[in-house]
Amino acid sequence: MSGAAPIVRNIADLPGYLISTGDTVVLAELAGPAQGSSASVFLEIWEPGGAQPLNSHADSAETFIVLAGTGAAHSDDAVLPLGPGDVLTLQPGSEHRIVNTSATEKLYTITIMASDGGFASLVTGGTRVPLTAADLGALVSALA
């Protein structure tokens, strides 16, 4: 038996973060090193038309589970459409970004970094922003 107690957190109690000023993607840390995990798991919320900057993770695969909304995954030379129920896995070292292709609806994903590699601290070192009641409602609807 491990001596560590299980951890239960409610999404309504978690803050969101913008990694950089002017970002159009809010991330909420669901699990990561602070909870004793070597992987990190996030709720990501893209504003309509929003996008991540081009980024890469040398030592980690990254998996996105699309809960609601539509988008496009740009990875190296590939561009793939994304919609609810899609599971996208990006290989370590790929240069990628996700774009919300809707002009009116948000894009919601659960994102898993197989090896955190400092990503959770990058996120939580950003600007803290509240998750909105509409975002929490959309998440509950998507998971129902």
Side-chain angles (χ1 to χ4, degrees):
M1 260 201 231
S2 157
I7 298 170
V8 175
R9 300 166 10 149
N10 190 290
I11 188 72
D13 298 330
L14 303 179
Y17 294 91
L18 297 171
I19 294 174
S20 301
T21 304
D23 279 357
T24 56
V25 182
V26 172
L27 295 93
E29 181 188 24
L30 304 178
Q35 293 77 42
S37 175
S38 60
S40 56
V41 182
F42 296 90
L43 168 65
E44 291 196 49
I45 306 166
W46 282 255
E47 292 297 323
Q52 307 162 311
L54 189 63
N55 65 92
S56 181
H57 312 285
D59 297 322
S60 183
E62 187 172 16
T63 301
F64 295 84
I65 303 165
V66 180
L67 302 175
T70 58
H74 299 255
S75 177
D76 298 325
D77 296 326
V79 179
L80 303 166
L82 296 173
D86 287 341
V87 178
L88 167 70
T89 301
L90 300 169
Q91 299 305 312
S94 71
E95 290 192 337
H96 60 271
R97 70 190 298 227
I98 307 295
V99 177
N100 181 349
T101 55
S102 174
T104 58
E105 295 181 1
K106 291 183 178 182
L107 171 64
Y108 296 88
T109 70
I110 297 294
T111 305
I112 303 159
M113 294 282 290
S115 174
D116 178 77
F119 189 66
S121 69
L122 173 71
V123 171
T124 59
T127 303
R128 195 173 173 146
V129 295
L131 298 178
T132 68
D135 289 335
L136 294 172
L139 178 61
V140 168
S141 294
L143 295 174

